[in-house]
Amino acid sequence: MTSPKFPKNELQRLEAVKSYNILDSLPEEDYDNITALVASICDIPIALIAVLDTNRNFFKSYHGIPFNESPRDISFCGHTILNEDILIIKDARKDKRFIDNPLVTEQQAIFYAGVPLINPEGFPLGTICVFDHKPRELDKSQINALKSLGKQVVNLLELRRKNFILEATKTELEDRNKRLAVFASHVSHDLKSPLANITSLTDLLKQDDASRLSEDSKGYLNYIEESTTVLKDYIDGILRYYKSDELLKAKKEDVELSELAEDIKRVLVSNTDKIIAPNTTIQHINKAALSQILINLVDNALKYNDKSERIVTIAYEFLSDHHQFKVTDNGIGIPENQKDKIFDIFRTVKNDFGKSSTGIGLSTVKNLVEKLNGQISVDSELGKGSTFTFTIGL
Ligand code: ADP
């Protein structure tokens, strides 16, 4: 007998084989169905899906034999992968490559037909093959079936590889997100305590030395205080942005909209403003996420508002496959060319209104709405007010 040679690109071929994570994997129904089908179509006792490892043939599926691997140096498949076409040995006892081969002498592997499993990069990973204990032939349709099912095996292997890559990417992304959230929370806590010190020290300075301070100095101190507040809002915003995904895990419940509006009013300490909402019960909705969205929108509606009486109306409609909300204000409005951009993170609109902003709130809202299978958009008229419309999937 002659042992099969290694293909010229054996090292790259082995690397390709390993990328499928198939070696030593457990039997799977998809592959076993194919070998059973091959055995039936070819009317033959043994059908295998073999993957060629360094020194062995690993059988991903083995129909008609009780073992899942055999040495590569005595294998028929080792010869098959050296060419692109099917290899048929009608009677191995008469083929000098297989005379004295223990598979022939001890296991009566007399007839063999094998098709190489060639992956999209051109590497032969293994074979789909059949054995019989007597000399015989395959007819044209049996050969075609063997070739077609070989392609099917390659497709299955490709799907498997893509799934592994997807899973690995997903795990890595989840890990990164977790690390990023921890990082964001560390950074914000580490920044927040020195900021709190600056605020209280500035306050002390203002109180203690009020009489000795010039008007300019008082102005500078106020400026320090304002900047510190902006920075604190910025940090809180970033923290909320990273934590907003946590809200998506909250259970759904029934929500009384007018009560929620009262809660929001308390949170935003806006006793003098009108926040109008109907006495409607919204059934089965993520209250935590809805509250976060409405707090952000109502906060903006009051913040970007120059009217003496600030009015915010929350409207609700149950549509066939989603909840729809509208938050309308009588504020400063948004320029037409900024309407889409304001949902981007860190995007703010310059206004003469003197309100400092971080540009994190609306992107947090958009992120939440989209993860709740909804959409958000805005209609606005400069000087008159804006209406934010958002939906939440059922
Ligand atoms: P911030 O958290 O700083 O308020 P947002 O992301 O919530 O930032 O908003 C982005 C920008 O969109 C704000 O800087 C503001 O100019 C504009 N904006 C948001 N809501 C309104 C509104 N109701 N009326 C007018 N302008 C608004």
Side-chain angles (χ1 to χ4, degrees):
M1 61 164 271
T2 37
S3 292
K5 289 189 196 126
F6 285 126
K8 277 196 201 99
N9 53 5
E10 177 61 6
L11 284 180
Q12 291 94 316
R13 193 197 69 80
L14 274 173
E15 206 174 306
V17 166
K18 293 204 170 112
S19 72
Y20 291 86
N21 278 307
I22 191 94
L23 293 171
D24 295 316
S25 58
L26 291 172
E28 284 171 65
E29 205 183 354
D30 285 345
Y31 299 88
D32 289 344
N33 283 341
I34 291 180
T35 47
L37 196 60
V38 165
S40 159
I41 292 171
C42 297
D43 188 22
I44 205 158
I46 298 167
L48 309 172
I49 293 172
V51 181
L52 269 71
D53 195 4
T54 321
N55 298 313
R56 60 172 180 155
N57 287 3
F58 166 72
F59 302 137
K60 177 61 189 170
S61 176
Y62 43 101
H63 179 98
I65 54 166
F67 46 90
N68 74 346
E69 62 177 43
S70 78
R72 182 167 170 182
D73 57 353
I74 56 167
S75 77
F76 286 64
C77 299
H79 292 277
T80 309
I81 64 159
L82 298 176
N83 293 300
E84 281 179 16
D85 204 7
I86 187 166
L87 173 68
I88 299 180
I89 314 285
K90 287 181 190 160
D91 188 342
R93 294 166 304 184
K94 295 181 184 158
D95 189 312
K96 63 175 187 300
R97 287 173 291 181
F98 301 103
I99 292 170
D100 299 336
N101 183 315
L103 292 177
V104 182
T105 53
E106 290 162 26
Q107 311 268 346
Q108 284 79 49
I110 308 291
F111 171 80
Y112 169 88
V115 173
L117 302 173
I118 300 177
N119 83 349
E121 289 87 50
F123 293 113
L125 307 170
T127 68
I128 181 165
C129 62
V130 289
F131 283 97
D132 206 337
H133 302 302
K134 55 182 191 297
R136 56 170 287 176
E137 291 184 9
L138 293 182
D139 64 30
K140 239 186 178 162
S141 72
Q142 288 170 325
I143 290 174
N144 284 339
L146 198 58
K147 287 182 178 174
S148 301
L149 288 167
K151 285 190 183 134
Q152 206 50 39
V153 174
V154 174
N155 288 345
L156 276 179
L157 288 170
E158 277 308 300
L159 273 180
R160 179 191 179 86
R161 177 158 72 167
K162 282 183 185 136
N163 262 344
F164 267 101
I165 294 172
L166 268 181
E167 275 301 313
T169 315
K170 193 173 146 233
T171 315
E172 199 189 315
L173 268 180
E174 279 169 358
D175 272 6
R176 265 196 213 188
N177 269 344
K178 271 189 207 147
R179 285 204 301 272
L180 207 61
V182 172
F183 174 74
S185 126
H186 271 302
V187 170
S188 16
H189 287 126
D190 290 355
L191 285 177
K192 267 166 91 174
S193 58
L195 276 181
N197 286 343
I198 296 175
T199 314
S200 44
L201 286 175
T202 323
D203 234 24
L204 274 178
L205 261 180
K206 268 168 55 181
Q207 283 168 22
D208 273 11
D209 293 347
S211 52
R212 278 185 281 154
L213 289 174
S214 70
E215 282 311 304
D216 273 358
S217 302
K218 280 183 198 160
Y220 295 146
L221 283 180
N222 283 340
Y223 185 63
I224 293 178
E225 213 164 45
E226 267 169 37
S227 304
T228 317
T229 311
V230 171
L231 207 53
K232 190 179 156 295
D233 288 350
Y234 209 84
I235 293 166
D236 285 340
I238 291 180
L239 210 57
R240 265 202 303 277
Y241 182 83
Y242 281 111
K243 284 199 171 148
S244 64
D245 281 5
E246 290 289 311
L247 296 174
L248 299 168
K249 295 178 195 152
K251 271 206 180 138
K252 291 186 180 177
E253 57 191 292
D254 293 351
V255 174
E256 181 55 54
L257 192 55
S258 55
E259 281 174 19
L260 182 60
E262 279 304 313
D263 291 345
I264 292 172
K265 205 169 160 167
R266 267 193 295 278
V267 171
L268 298 177
V269 205
S270 68
N271 304 329
T272 54
D273 303 305
K274 271 198 178 149
I275 301 178
I276 305 161
N279 285 322
T280 313
T281 305
I282 306 161
Q283 280 176 356
H284 201 58
I285 195 161
N286 180 332
K287 184 179 179 187
L290 176 65
S291 308
Q292 178 76 63
I293 293 167
L294 286 174
I295 286 174
N296 268 295
L297 294 178
V298 175
D299 189 24
N300 279 347
L302 297 173
K303 190 160 128 191
Y304 301 106
N305 201 316
D306 52 356
K307 308 297 182 299
S308 54
E309 187 183 39
R310 300 186 293 189
I311 305 171
V312 185
T313 314
I314 304 173
Y316 170 75
E317 205 175 335
F318 180 80
L319 300 175
S320 62
D321 57 354
H322 54 259
H323 307 275
Q324 180 183 274
F325 297 85
K326 284 180 187 283
V327 178
T328 303
D329 63 57
N330 61 340
I332 59 172
I334 299 159
E336 184 64 34
N337 62 356
Q338 298 293 321
K339 277 187 196 160
D340 295 330
K341 297 184 183 146
I342 53 169
F343 295 102
D344 295 345
I345 192 160
F346 303 133
R347 175 75 71 159
T348 57
V349 181
K350 233 179 162 222
N351 56 56
D352 313 327
F353 188 52
K355 288 278 166 174
S356 61
S357 57
T358 60
I360 303 173
L362 283 181
S363 76
T364 308
V365 166
K366 187 167 192 245
N367 180 33
L368 273 174
V369 166
E370 285 177 353
K371 290 208 169 127
L372 293 165
N373 297 322
Q375 287 176 335
I376 183 160
S377 61
V378 63
D379 271 320
S380 186
E381 202 177 324
L382 271 181
K384 287 213 164 150
S386 314
T387 296
F388 284 82
T389 305
F390 69 92
T391 55
I392 291 180
L394 296 183

